[in-house]
Amino acid sequence: MSMPPSPNLPPQPPRPPHGPYGGPVPPPQQPGAFGAPQNHWPQNHPQQGVPPQYPGPGTGPGVGGWGQPPMGPPPKKKMSTGAIVAIVVGSLALVGGLGYAVKAGFDSITGGFPEATHRLVVPKTLLEGKYDLVSDLSETQGKEIEDTPDLSVKDAKAAVGQYSGEDGAVLVLSGMYGRIKNPEDARSSILRGAATDKGSTLVVRPRKFTPAGYGVTISCQVTRSKDALGTTTLPMCAWGDDSTAAAVALVTAESSSGDPKDVDLAALAETTAKIRAEVRQPLDKQAGEPTDKPSG
């Protein structure tokens, strides 16, 4: 038998509808101050009975572990321009020297030297304006070349320039001029000096090239060199003649981090021959000064 309702109990409010997991259905969203929907449902608490969902490592396209952006490998760092300049300049300080004196004999090394016919200059631009002079270092770092005792060279003067090109390319010209006893040995010694510098490793052995139309032999190699900032592939070519010996190193965005074996040394040898024609100038025999006409 049913009991009649108690007349003293107040009326009960209607119960809110329930969701599929037993929790109350959240109230409808209301527009916020700027017209965007405003959700009154607690944002930091999951619905009752629903466990929080966290994406695991690698979940979803382009998403890293636990919902973070994907973490790729750290970018490769290039060695500093100053370190590149130091290696190229240092290679000239080892030209010939006592190693050649032992090889050829002290008497012959102190014999006759060729007449000085050319000198090197450091122009404002190279290769028809493709590279701009950043700094003429002939009177600073170049002194290292001039002050290094060398029995195979007389009256040595330095010519050192740092140049910049497109996309961060770095070109370093480091040379000397005077009276050079053995040009071929000078050319080889320049590259050997760069390969034996601290932190340098020879990865492509020296190769000889004779670019058409220039009448000069160019030797080129590739080293991997590093300093505190990073590691760089360093392609370098060198020449030597009776009056001048120099190295040209060219570092580009592609060559600095690419496979050293992919460096086009034949192209760099031709570039070096062109630079030689621009910076090597004949001396006026009367005054001992260079003429205005570059030498090929």
Side-chain angles (χ1 to χ4, degrees), residues 203-204 207 221-222 224 233 235 252 254-268:
V203 289
V204 178
R207 295 171 54 192
Q221 69 181 19
V222 184
R224 289 284 285 175
T233 296
T252 64
E254 294 77 14
S255 68
S256 64
S257 58
D259 188 335
K261 295 181 176 59
D262 291 337
V263 175
D264 190 344
L265 289 182
L268 182 58

Side-chain angles (χ1 to χ4, degrees), residues 3 37-38 53 57-58 67 70 82 122 126 204 226 252 276 281 292:
M3 298 295 294
Q38 187 177 19
Q53 301 295 318
V122 181
L126 284 176
V204 178
K226 63 181 179 179
T252 64
R276 176 180 179 268
Q281 295 185 354
D292 294 333

Side-chain angles (χ1 to χ4, degrees), residues 11-218:
Q12 298 295 319
R15 300 181 65 185
H18 286 72
Y21 297 97
V25 175
Q29 295 181 346
Q30 300 295 328
F34 297 96
Q38 187 177 19
N39 194 347
H40 295 282
W41 191 256
Q43 297 297 315
N44 297 327
H45 302 281
Q47 294 185 18
Q48 183 180 357
V50 181
Q53 301 295 318
Y54 299 102
T59 303
V63 179
W66 310 109
Q68 299 299 320
M71 299 297 292
K76 295 182 178 180
K77 296 181 179 180
K78 295 189 301 181
M79 67 187 302
S80 66
T81 301
I84 296 172
V85 173
I87 292 172
V88 184
V89 174
S91 69
L92 266 291
L94 297 178
V95 171
L98 294 178
Y100 179 69
V102 173
K103 175 182 175 183
F106 186 79
D107 291 338
S108 62
I109 201 68
T110 56
F113 279 77
E115 180 184 0
T117 59
H118 292 77
R119 66 170 290 177
L120 298 177
V121 297
V122 181
K124 298 296 184 183
T125 63
L126 284 176
L127 301 175
E128 298 181 349
K130 187 175 181 180
Y131 294 94
D132 297 314
L133 180 65
V134 175
S135 182
D136 185 338
L137 305 170
S138 304
E139 299 297 326
T140 53
Q141 273 105 324
K143 289 299 182 182
E144 179 183 351
I145 300 171
E146 298 178 0
D147 295 342
T148 300
D150 193 333
L151 298 177
S152 66
V153 181
K154 279 189 175 182
D155 307 323
K157 296 292 183 181
V160 182
Q162 175 191 339
Y163 293 81
S164 64
E166 293 183 354
D167 299 325
V170 177
L171 188 151
V172 180
L173 166 69
S174 180
M176 67 176 180
Y177 59 96
R179 301 166 64 192
I180 301 175
K181 183 73 174 180
N182 191 313
E184 183 174 354
D185 189 74
R187 185 180 68 239
S188 299
S189 296
I190 291 172
L191 298 183
R192 185 167 59 250
T196 56
D197 185 84
K198 182 180 179 181
S200 295
T201 303
L202 180 65
V203 289
V204 178
R205 297 179 63 83
R207 295 171 54 192
K208 293 182 180 180
F209 300 90
T210 53
Y214 292 96
V216 63
T217 298
I218 306 289

